[in-house]
Amino acid sequence: MQRKHGRQAIKDWPCIIIRIFFVSLQIVMTLLKQYILLIVFMLPHLSAAARDNASTSFIGGIPVMDSISVSILTCTPGAELYSKFGHTALRVKNHTRNKDIVFNYGCFDYSEHNFVFKFLLGQTDYMLNAEPYNYLVERYGYMGTGVKEQVLNLTQGEANHLYILLLDNIRPENQEYRYIWLYDNCTERARNMVEKAVDGAIVYNRATVSLTIRQMLHQCLKEDPWTCFGIDMILGAEIDQPVDKRIQMFLPDFFSAEASEAYIAKNDGSRIPYIATTNDIIKETLKKEQASFLLSPLLALSVLFLLSIALFMQELVKSRYQMWLDIPLLVFQGLAGIIVSFLFFFSSHPAVDSNWLIIILNPIPLFYAGWIICCQKKGKRNTLSYLNIGILVIFSAIMLIGPQKYNPAMYLLVLTFLVRALSQGHFAYHQK
């Protein structure tokens, strides 16, 4: 019986081996399936990690940092309105990979639906974009705009860190940001990104100059008085307070000047210059014409003011009111008031909601113009002229003692409104 069982066991060995083989194969297939699922699941994360480590190469399996230099590029003001204040970008030159890229926070999509309306509302999204360095040189060289380079005095670790931050920031889900002209623009974004990458603190050591934002804007627009007049008309008292040097750096030239005298206070207590070298990449060739007084708003409104006085004197001599100047003035006042009122009540742009000009620049003068025409045709007394005089007198006092500063030409415009209001009030009072 024992021999019989031994022979039976020998006969069963092939079946046992086959069973072990299939069980082992099943276990291997299960493990392989789980491994494949794990790879598929982790692939997007591995790809993201690979992009994050774009600045790291490997030699013999050991990570080695790329040789990278980072520069601040400051572009001088151009001829177009959007370029009147200059521009700032960051140049990242990767010597290891032979790449030379400019990161630019000043890009926007003009073809976006309702772009102009969104811009007026202060809801414009700008984005970070990257382009080859030679593209920027060709573009600004063609426009005749100068470009200055300030090479940052960063360690390779800091430069690689900054590069990784910029690569992360340019991802589609991160590259857009809500543009705020005075407090969060392309220059301030570039400055903040460098500050994040530095091991220590950047100390801006330039002597503090007491300036308001309006004074800074006037410096930039001294050759374009009409643009200066328009900006003064829509920006209110918020920009008439002295600001610290950090806010002053919203303008590229001011940031460049601050950077040139700044230093990096390291965590170990040492100090090193913030800028290593400065180069003029493109010499400015754009010819800027000096603003002519003959074409300035100051002269134009001086003539208008004298014309209003001359008309009032003629009316007094002839004892007859004439409205041929008042209607165009009131229409202009009302149309300008529509812009000022829209920005004041609906826009999230900074400083537009502190504009005291809203008292006289609003849509009401459009209705008042219609009232004057109606009174003239029907021979009615213009009793609203007394209210108009009162508003203009009160606002004239506010202009002298209030917190907001005004363009010199604006004083002449308000005086013109007041002279014509006095004319309307005089003839309303003496009308039989």
Side-chain angles (χ1 to χ4, degrees), residues 52-59 61-69 93-98 154-164 197 199:
D52 279 344
N53 293 302
S55 61
T56 305
S57 55
F58 294 86
I59 299 177
I62 301 174
V64 179
M65 288 185 295
D66 286 359
S67 175
I68 290 175
S69 60
K93 192 171 184 180
N94 191 326
H95 305 275
T96 303
R97 302 173 186 273
N98 195 27
L154 304 179
T155 65
Q156 281 304 300
E158 292 169 335
N160 276 259
H161 185 198
L162 178 55
Y163 188 27
I164 291 172
D199 295 329

Side-chain angles (χ1 to χ4, degrees), residues 67-303:
S67 175
I68 290 175
S69 60
V70 182
S71 308
I72 298 170
L73 300 182
T74 304
C75 309
T76 60
E80 302 297 331
L81 180 60
Y82 66 85
S83 63
K84 290 288 185 182
F85 304 100
H87 183 56
T88 301
L90 292 175
R91 178 189 183 187
V92 178
K93 192 171 184 180
N94 191 326
H95 305 275
T96 303
R97 302 173 186 273
N98 195 27
K99 292 182 178 179
D100 200 349
I101 305 171
V102 173
F103 290 89
N104 176 12
Y105 278 96
C107 299
F108 58 88
D109 184 6
Y110 186 77
S111 63
E112 182 184 359
H113 184 60
N114 291 329
F115 175 84
V116 175
F117 184 67
K118 288 181 179 179
F119 181 82
L120 290 174
L121 287 174
Q123 298 177 1
T124 309
D125 289 331
Y126 276 45
M127 67 184 72
L128 173 63
N129 199 3
E131 64 176 342
Y133 167 72
N134 61 310
Y135 285 14
L136 178 136
V137 173
E138 291 175 3
R139 184 170 66 256
Y140 280 93
Y142 175 78
M143 294 189 299
T145 306
V147 178
K148 180 177 71 173
E149 178 185 38
Q150 294 170 294
V151 182
L152 299 178
N153 195 13
L154 304 179
T155 65
Q156 281 304 300
E158 292 169 335
N160 276 259
H161 185 198
L162 178 55
Y163 188 27
I164 291 172
L165 289 174
L166 291 169
L167 289 176
D168 180 70
N169 212 185
I170 206 170
R171 291 180 181 178
E173 64 270 22
N174 298 332
Q175 68 179 144
E176 287 191 346
Y177 69 100
R178 181 55 49 87
Y179 181 81
I180 305 174
W181 178 41
L182 300 179
Y183 307 124
D184 192 3
N185 61 18
C186 55
T187 299
E188 291 159 305
R189 284 267 164 168
R191 176 199 63 192
N192 296 345
M193 290 301 292
V194 177
E195 290 176 349
K196 289 180 181 179
V198 170
D199 295 329
I202 300 173
V203 180
Y204 300 100
N205 201 35
R206 187 166 171 252
T208 303
V209 180
S210 180
L211 287 173
T212 67
I213 291 176
R214 197 182 300 276
Q215 290 171 335
M216 297 170 66
L217 296 178
H218 283 188
Q219 290 182 20
C220 295
L221 298 171
K222 57 187 176 182
E223 294 165 351
D224 193 352
W226 282 104
T227 300
C228 186
F229 178 77
I231 288 179
D232 281 339
M233 186 177 71
I234 63 174
L235 297 182
E238 182 180 331
I239 66 169
D240 289 311
Q241 302 300 318
V243 293
D244 60 28
K245 62 174 62 180
R246 189 161 188 85
I247 295 179
Q248 290 178 10
M249 283 188 276
F250 85 96
L251 287 178
D253 284 344
F254 279 78
F255 173 52
S256 177
E258 289 288 348
S260 64
E261 299 185 28
Y263 63 85
I264 302 175
K266 293 290 188 178
N267 293 327
D268 60 5
S270 61
R271 295 182 177 183
I272 62 171
Y274 182 46
I275 302 299
T277 58
T278 301
N279 310 306
D280 286 326
I281 296 174
I282 303 176
K283 294 288 186 180
E284 186 176 11
T285 59
L286 181 66
K287 293 183 179 180
K288 298 179 180 178
E289 297 181 0
Q290 294 295 324
S292 173
F293 179 72
L294 297 176
L295 300 175
S296 67
L298 192 60
L299 179 61
L301 293 175
S302 297
V303 172

Side-chain angles (χ1 to χ4, degrees), residues 312-331:
F312 192 15
M313 293 176 65
Q314 184 188 41
E315 289 171 329
L316 292 176
V317 171
K318 294 185 177 182
S319 298
R320 194 180 79 179
Y321 168 69
Q322 300 180 54
M323 64 177 181
W324 60 266
L325 181 59
D326 293 356
I327 301 306
L329 275 177
L330 289 168
V331 170

